[in-house]
């Protein structure tokens, strides 16, 4: 198998995974994969986070992140707070309402999406994760900043 074939495989998987995630997001309330990813990601943070940090895994421009956060803020799911050392910087955090949406709506959706890997044995899942980490390491050695699995 060549690198070209693997690259084509990753490309088609990316599209399929996006469709799978779309199908498992709650259909009501205007939830989208970027909105769900941002809300889920904020649950992993112990402190408010900058929009750049949050937008990077989503591949979103600063402008698009602003629009995304504006919408979530209008719905009361996130709020902007000041940075403790730099008053020019605004950080984003979940509100109690946002946490409820994650727990009650997105949690079950995320579990349903993760069921895609139920067909794998624990050993196969571990090996797949090991290989994905290796691909991420290879990208990082080439100057591409990608988060490690489990980071948001």
């Amino acid at each position: 198998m060549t690198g070209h074939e693997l690259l084509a495989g990753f490309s088609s998987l990316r599209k399929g995974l996006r469709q799978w995630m779309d199908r498992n997001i709650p259909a009501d309330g205007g939830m989208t994969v970027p909105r769900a990813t941002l809300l889920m990601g904020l649950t992993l943070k112990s402190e408010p986070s900058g929009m750049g940090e949050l937008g990077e895994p989503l591949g979103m421009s600063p402008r698009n992140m602003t629009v995304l956060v504006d919408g979530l803020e209008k719905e009361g799911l996130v709020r902007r707070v000041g940075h403790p050392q730099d008053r020019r910087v605004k950080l984003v955090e979940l509100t109690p309402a946002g946490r409820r949406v994650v727990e009650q709506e997105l949690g079950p959706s995320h579990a349903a999406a993760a069921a895609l890997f139920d067909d794998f044995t624990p050993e196969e899942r571990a090996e797949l994760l090991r290989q994905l980490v290796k691909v991420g390491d290879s990208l990082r050695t080439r100057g591409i900043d990608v988060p490690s699995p489990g980071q948001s």
Side-chain angles (χ1 to χ4, degrees):
M1 178 163 288
T2 68
H4 293 284
E5 291 169 313
L6 286 170
L7 192 58
F10 269 101
S11 180
S12 63
L13 261 179
R14 181 179 177 267
K15 181 179 179 183
L17 284 171
R18 177 64 185 240
Q19 289 174 357
W20 179 248
M21 295 299 293
D22 282 341
R23 286 185 186 172
N24 284 286
I25 296 289
D28 57 338
M31 191 59 66
T32 63
V33 171
R35 290 166 59 96
T37 302
L38 178 62
L39 293 171
M40 294 287 292
L42 282 170
T43 65
L44 303 174
K45 306 288 184 182
S46 59
E47 298 177 355
S49 300
M51 285 198 283
E53 175 189 351
L54 295 167
E56 186 176 342
L58 294 168
M60 295 187 77
S61 70
R63 173 72 182 129
N64 287 340
M65 273 304 293
T66 299
V67 171
L68 179 63
V69 170
D70 285 349
L72 292 169
E73 191 173 39
K74 277 184 186 172
E75 294 175 36
L77 302 178
V78 302
R79 70 176 147 245
R80 288 179 170 92
V81 295
H83 189 282
Q85 284 85 33
D86 187 345
R87 62 188 174 107
R88 297 169 297 170
V89 176
K90 291 293 184 185
L91 304 174
V92 180
E93 67 181 2
L94 272 180
T95 63
R99 195 162 299 281
R100 277 192 301 279
V101 165
V102 169
E103 291 169 0
Q104 295 171 3
E105 296 177 31
L106 297 180
S109 296
H110 193 261
L116 174 67
F117 299 101
D118 288 351
D119 295 340
F120 291 68
T121 66
E123 295 80 17
E124 289 170 330
R125 287 192 297 266
E127 179 60 18
L128 177 58
L129 183 58
R130 188 183 75 73
Q131 294 293 336
L132 291 172
V133 167
K134 193 170 181 176
V135 171
D137 291 344
S138 185
L139 285 166
R140 282 187 286 284
T141 63
R142 288 164 171 80
I144 304 300
D145 185 22
V146 294
S148 297
Q151 287 183 325
S152 57

